[in-house]
Amino acid sequence: MGTLSVVDVVDSQGLWEGLLQGPLGSMTALEQALFRLRFDLYLPDVLRPLKQLYGARADFGAQLEKLLGIVARAYAGRSEELRLLDLRRTSEPDWFQQPNMLGYVCYVDRFAETLAGVIAKIPYLKELGVTYLHLMPLLKPRPGPNDGGYAVMDYREVNPAFGAMSDLRALATALRREGMSLCVDLVCNHTAKEHEWACKAVAGDPVYQNYYYLFPDRIMPDQYEMTLPEVFPDFAPGNFTYCTDCQRWVWTTFNEYQWDLNYTNPAVLAEMLDIILYLANQGVEILRLDAVAFMWKRLKTDCQNQPEAHAILQAFRALTRIAAPGLLFKAEAIVSPDQLLPYLGSGAATNRECEIAYHNAFMVLLWSSLAERRVTLMTHALQNMPDTPANSAWLTYLRCHDDIGWAIRDEDAAAIGLSGFLHRAFLSDFYSGRFPETFARGGTFQYNPKTGDRRISGTLASLAGLEAAAEQQGWQEIDLAVRRILLLHAMILAFNGIPIIYMGDELGLLNDKSYLNDPNLADDNRWMHRPRMDWNKAEQRHDWQTVTARIFQGLQAMIEARKQTISLHAAGRCYPVWTHNEQVFGMIRASARGRLLVLANFTERTQKVPRHRLHDMGFKGGLLNRLDGKNLDSWSEVQLDPYQALWLEPIPV
Ligand code: GLC
């Protein structure tokens, strides 16, 4: 007969009774019953990944009990407002897939100085249509260089320059009342070397030494290095750092002050779970889980995307669903297209990992198409990506605080007759401004002579040509740059996911060179695309004579159109189609909610798509362009202006 399920080998009734006598003891019968419901529902999902990670340990039962104790305590401490939110979210599980979702991402200080300042800017965000606000790292960082806040020394305190934890709670509540969800970063792969755990490890405490990867000599580090890539070859070469205070080599994937956590130790998973739930109870609704691909190490591999890294995420997912089911996870895994999809859950873990993941490949392909003025690579590569699970959403974006790395697979390039290596080199030349006649003004980030990789920094507007056009003061060039900016946004707004606007892109902010004057920032040119918000420029958004207004209002109109277009729900399929014109990208969104044909001209010339091609795709009758509300008038061919996008919906007969 069937094999024993994992639940059978665990005394779930015993576990439950322990919780009833402990953290759940003082709760009402209804509150206990609600917890029990989720406990029963999610326990198998808790056990599957935990067994994979720690099943061989003699103390597995005790570890499980400890984790469930953390979950029950967090549930008991969750406010009424947040418990109601949980019910609301579980009653409308596709809330984050609705076309009204629009994200915005910014640094607290660069946007509004403090958390209280962000509250004051809520009307601005509402004007744009934002429903999801991602604030860049805001927990207490180490002093001095801190990788933009990604070196946290205390996860339970806010960066004192931004305010206190009570300010974060107040902000989360204020946003929620205005229909916006707060997303914050959780740096779960590493801590700052100044974190209390690291300090105890340095002081010689063996309990905390086991929280990190410490090695007495170079024997193991050298073996690992044979297959490890370098994330920051320029300013942080190698993956290990010698700590003179503790006389050990420490695993430091990123900078020397960011110490990788050791998840083979279940105590680390328990600590991080406690932090996740602590943040959820402050009112955070979405956690951006940073650098998740790196969370498990294995000799003779690149130590990324290991099955156990997925198991850690699945364990976090199931455990937090018991206490705070309203909380969503967004995976930050900037990995190759084939490695990306499993972060949304696959196989037995479908819908049991992260709900949202950055669509790094789409972002890269958009920039590639723009430089090449050809959409063949994007069409082919996206056609070859498997479908996403029904209850997930991509995070679609054009720029973020990081550089752009050309994650284009050699196989995809070869399939359309390109050399992957040469194409990536072309893109680096193009966007760093070295390619003759390029419109882009970017910077090279982390040139790696071993691989030839050259990543790119720069703001959206500068990469799309606005900086060069402004220098030349050519109105035609400025017009084309604005069109490129709007075209790219029309693409991320039409894909199956949550589109995110990167702060300042809605105003066309250009590269900011002022970071060069700050010794803590000067060696990291990613700061060129992390400008301070220009509130004077923001004032121009209502003055129709300005470029700023053209961008802001153009974007605002597209966002509004998206909100009205139900076929853009993220559960709808999304498949690229050949338009018989290499310069025009085609994509169909299809579901029971309706069909939509997206066409996008990636060149500065007028383009045409024969109407019979639309017939072949099943778009036969009259068509309405949702982007301008007008019916398509030509019956012989569809004409697209330079860099124009169309969202075509069949007109019901
Ligand atoms: C993520 C962040 C990046 C940071 C790294 C280390 O990739 O986006 O900015 O440097 O993690 O935390």
Side-chain angles (χ1 to χ4, degrees):
M1 292 299 290
T3 48
L4 270 186
S5 86
V6 274
V7 192
D8 299 329
V9 292
V10 163
D11 173 13
S12 58
Q13 189 56 26
L15 281 171
W16 169 249
E17 275 155 21
L19 297 175
L20 266 191
Q21 279 147 31
L24 302 177
S26 57
M27 305 197 82
T28 65
L30 177 65
E31 286 167 336
Q32 289 174 348
L34 269 177
F35 189 89
R36 176 74 203 238
L37 198 100
R38 294 182 193 139
F39 175 89
D40 287 343
L41 202 57
Y42 299 123
L43 192 62
D45 293 343
V46 169
L47 288 171
R48 194 175 6 84
L50 282 183
K51 285 245 155 189
Q52 186 182 346
L53 293 167
Y54 311 119
R57 293 174 63 106
D59 65 350
F60 180 74
Q63 296 296 341
L64 179 64
E65 225 169 291
K66 177 173 162 190
L67 294 171
L68 289 169
I70 293 171
V71 167
R73 270 192 300 282
Y75 175 70
R78 198 154 166 81
S79 71
E80 227 167 72
E81 177 165 346
L82 293 176
R83 281 208 217 135
L84 273 173
L85 178 78
D86 288 335
L87 282 180
R88 186 161 166 196
R89 296 304 192 215
T90 45
S91 312
E92 195 198 4
D94 68 339
W95 69 274
F96 66 98
Q97 299 180 298
Q98 300 284 350
N100 75 325
M101 287 301 287
L102 180 83
Y104 190 83
V105 53
C106 59
Y107 288 91
V108 173
D109 51 345
R110 295 186 164 239
F111 181 62
E113 305 298 336
T114 61
L115 291 168
V118 177
I119 296 187
K121 297 297 181 196
I122 289 179
Y124 176 78
L125 298 171
K126 279 198 85 169
E127 188 183 327
L128 196 57
V130 174
T131 58
Y132 159 126
L133 178 64
H134 170 201
L135 294 178
M136 294 296 293
L138 50 75
L139 300 177
K140 190 176 175 186
R142 74 188 291 266
N146 56 36
D147 190 21
Y150 286 100
V152 178
M153 68 181 279
D154 191 339
Y155 291 87
R156 288 166 207 271
E157 255 190 69
V158 161
N159 183 339
F162 303 166
M165 198 46 86
S166 54
D167 296 309
L168 187 69
R169 276 197 297 277
L171 172 61
T173 310
L175 288 170
R176 191 170 319 112
R177 304 223 160 121
E178 294 292 342
M180 290 181 221
S181 298
L182 176 64
C183 168
V184 306
D185 279 85
L186 179 68
V187 188
C188 45
N189 175 67
H190 46 265
T191 72
K193 69 174 179 189
E194 288 78 8
H195 190 284
E196 190 193 342
W197 306 332
C199 295
K200 288 184 176 165
V202 172
D205 185 336
V207 170
Y208 289 94
Q209 290 192 333
N210 199 23
Y211 273 39
Y212 298 94
Y213 288 97
L214 305 181
F215 303 93
D217 50 41
R218 283 290 310 185
I219 295 177
M220 291 310 293
D222 283 344
Q223 287 194 34
Y224 279 112
E225 282 289 15
M226 287 167 81
T227 50
L228 279 176
E230 289 172 307
V231 178
F232 297 139
D234 245 16
F235 50 66
N239 289 275
F240 299 87
T241 303
Y242 190 67
C243 166
T244 35
D245 290 339
C246 61
Q247 302 189 340
R248 299 273 204 289
W249 287 92
V250 186
W251 198 307
T252 53
T253 300
F254 297 90
N255 290 291
E256 75 37 62
Y257 51 77
Q258 289 162 302
W259 286 23
D260 286 47
L261 285 164
N262 171 15
Y263 280 93
T264 65
N265 176 1
V268 170
L269 186 115
E271 296 269 17
M272 220 21 107
L273 173 69
D274 205 21
I275 291 168
I276 289 176
L277 289 168
Y278 171 78
L279 293 172
N281 279 359
Q282 310 307 308
V284 171
E285 295 187 28
I286 298 134
L287 278 178
R288 174 196 182 274
L289 302 177
D290 182 63
V292 289
F294 299 87
M295 284 197 298
W296 196 270
K297 328 289 187 194
R298 176 168 278 115
L299 260 181
K300 300 194 177 133
T301 72
D302 61 0
C303 296
Q304 289 184 47
N305 313 306
Q306 297 299 308
E308 292 85 350
H310 290 283
I312 294 167
L313 293 171
Q314 290 157 25
F316 283 154
R317 179 63 293 168
L319 285 158
T320 54
R321 270 188 181 152
I322 300 178
L327 179 73
L328 294 190
F329 284 161
K330 173 170 65 165
E332 192 255 346
I334 307 305
V335 297
S336 83
D338 359 295
Q339 305 282 7
L340 192 53
L341 210 69
Y343 288 94
L344 293 174
S346 57
T350 303
N351 293 326
R352 287 168 171 77
E353 199 163 319
C354 296
E355 287 81 6
I356 311 168
Y358 283 82
H359 203 332
N360 173 49
F362 182 43
M363 181 270 291
V364 163
L365 290 163
L366 286 169
W367 288 110
S368 165
S369 306
L370 200 67
E372 212 195 341
R373 277 103 164 160
R374 212 164 70 112
V375 299
T376 19
L377 180 61
M378 175 154 72
T379 310
H380 172 80
L382 291 177
Q383 277 182 343
N384 282 287
M385 280 193 77
D387 274 345
T388 45
N391 296 332
S392 62
W394 287 118
L395 198 299
T396 59
Y397 66 116
L398 300 164
R399 291 302 292 116
C400 69
H401 67 290
D402 280 328
D403 50 286
I404 305 176
W406 303 114
I408 287 170
R409 297 187 329 147
D410 286 341
E411 302 89 301
D412 288 332
I416 60 139
L418 290 176
S419 142
F421 180 83
L422 292 179
H423 186 61
R424 289 188 292 270
F426 156 69
L427 293 173
S428 297
D429 284 346
F430 190 91
Y431 284 108
S432 63
R434 281 166 51 168
F435 191 80
E437 293 180 29
T438 179
F439 50 72
R441 290 277 185 280
T444 303
F445 179 71
Q446 305 287 326
Y447 169 52
N448 187 338
K450 289 181 218 157
T451 59
D453 276 352
R454 280 177 290 142
R455 285 135 69 183
I456 292 294
S457 290
T459 66
L460 168 77
S462 290
L463 296 180
L466 195 58
E467 187 171 327
E471 277 163 17
Q472 294 153 12
Q473 300 199 342
W475 67 266
Q476 270 174 321
E477 278 67 35
I478 292 181
D479 174 62
L480 289 175
V482 172
R483 284 168 183 264
R484 286 184 203 109
I485 292 171
L486 294 177
L487 168 80
L488 291 174
H489 281 105
M491 300 301 298
I492 61 163
L493 287 164
F495 214 73
N496 59 336
I498 304 175
I500 286 257
I501 292 176
Y502 183 65
M503 189 210 82
D505 287 350
E506 75 278 18
L507 306 173
L509 293 193
L510 304 179
N511 290 338
D512 172 10
K513 303 278 164 56
S514 64
Y515 74 98
L516 291 167
N517 306 325
D518 182 337
N520 280 339
L521 312 180
D523 68 349
D524 185 344
N525 77 5
R526 290 178 297 175
W527 288 99
M528 79 165 67
H529 55 256
R530 301 170 180 175
R532 295 200 149 269
M533 185 56 164
D534 186 340
W535 289 107
N536 288 331
K537 206 172 194 62
E539 284 304 308
Q540 298 173 359
R541 69 190 186 278
H542 303 302
D543 176 356
W544 62 272
Q545 286 172 313
T546 63
V547 173
T548 311
R550 228 187 113 192
I551 298 174
F552 188 92
Q553 292 181 19
L555 207 51
Q556 208 180 20
M558 289 196 289
I559 292 165
E560 193 45 40
R562 171 180 152 89
K563 289 184 195 260
Q564 307 304 325
T565 308
I566 187 62
S567 51
L568 291 177
H569 188 287
R573 285 192 59 197
C574 186
Y575 50 95
V577 284
W578 298 105
T579 60
H580 291 188
N581 178 337
E582 289 194 342
Q583 274 84 38
V584 179
F585 181 66
M587 174 174 79
I588 294 179
R589 300 295 319 272
S591 70
R593 293 179 180 85
R595 294 178 90 225
L596 188 86
L597 174 64
V598 176
L599 293 177
N601 174 2
F602 273 76
T603 71
E604 49 272 87
R605 285 176 302 279
T606 303
Q607 297 290 339
K608 289 174 183 158
V609 173
R611 196 64 197 253
H612 68 78
R613 188 63 200 118
L614 273 61
H615 281 229
D616 298 346
M617 300 174 199
F619 289 85
K620 294 202 168 109
L623 293 170
L624 165 74
N625 176 18
R626 298 291 317 210
L627 279 174
D628 62 9
K630 293 192 187 135
N631 292 348
L632 217 62
D633 42 21
S634 156
W635 287 90
S636 56
E637 57 201 5
V638 180
Q639 186 165 312
L640 293 105
D641 292 340
Y643 296 118
Q644 189 183 12
L646 301 171
W647 292 355
L648 300 174
E649 192 176 82
I651 300 171
V653 273

